[in-house]
Amino acid sequence: MITEPTPGLRAWVDGALVAWDDARVHVSAHHYGVGVFEGLRVYRTARGPAVFRLADHTARLFRSARMMGITIPWSAAELDAAQRTVIRESGLGDAYLRPFVFHDGPFGLGLHTGRLVVRTAILALPWADDGAHLDPEAGARGIRLVTSSFTRHAPTSLLAKAKANGNYMTSILALTEARAAGAEDALLLDREGFVTEASGANVFAVFGRELHTPPRESVLEGITRDTVFALAGALELEVRERRLTRDELYVADEVFLTGTAAEITRVRAIDGRAFGSGPVTERLRARYADEVRGKGTREGWLTYVAEEES
Ligand code: PMP
């Protein structure tokens, strides 16, 4: 999980590298939640700290911005370089990176989008305890999900495929509800009752040698989800994207979540239905752990922050 800010952290704000405490906006800043963001992991490797799938995250940031009608005043190459700089200048190893683009501007009622300015910032914090995003022991023993009373936004109410700030209100409500019910995360259905994803992670069900996951139309297109697609073949697993119902998940052999922060997290129970051990999940977890730390077989997924750009 991310830790408290530590001394010496640097933030990047609109092109300037500043001390963590100096990365500020005025309280009058536009506060309707119009903005887009990304979350990336940085891992210690034998070649120094490396960002996992940097270009893919930056590409999604630009797609989210386009969906929201926000023009990012930087190029992808500039933001990639800035993210590496923040990690390097903050002296970070295992870390979490958060680039975000948001509307700032004069206080006013309503949206006043014409008067708003676009601001861009990058924060990074140290990351401690692998696999501990949702629960200190989550990596080893798995987490519990409960089906949420909140449904994932319909494509007609929000631009649900954008990683946009305001979209996370539903996630926050669902997660709070799940925690109150004694679970670590929520399982959100769509308005027809089909499974979509967890509050901040995609979901997979294991049936024999097949991995079933909801189609991309109904979820945020997770980069870890895509990583699992890419790794499955080497483990002789087949991936199927299809609509899943909650009862199908109850009778799956295994269920797991995928996300940059969650990595690959075993689900040990859904709505009180417990699962046995998770051997397929364990193999994927091990494979993923190798890839993110530069011990895998895939080329091009890691950007080494200390090395010259090629
Ligand atoms: N769904 C939601 C709603 C998320 O917030 C995230 C985290 N970004 C994911 C899925 C997983 O995406 P990724 O693997 O790219 O982190």
Side-chain angles (χ1 to χ4, degrees), residues 41-53:
R41 275 297 316 270
V42 182
Y43 293 90
R44 280 183 209 279
T45 75
R47 288 164 63 183
V51 188
F52 189 60
R53 302 197 63 173

Side-chain angles (χ1 to χ4, degrees), residues 54 58 62 74-85 309:
L54 174 61
T58 301
F62 277 85
W74 302 94
S75 69
E78 285 168 330
L79 290 190
D80 285 352
Q83 290 177 85
R84 298 172 67 187
T85 303
E309 281 172 70

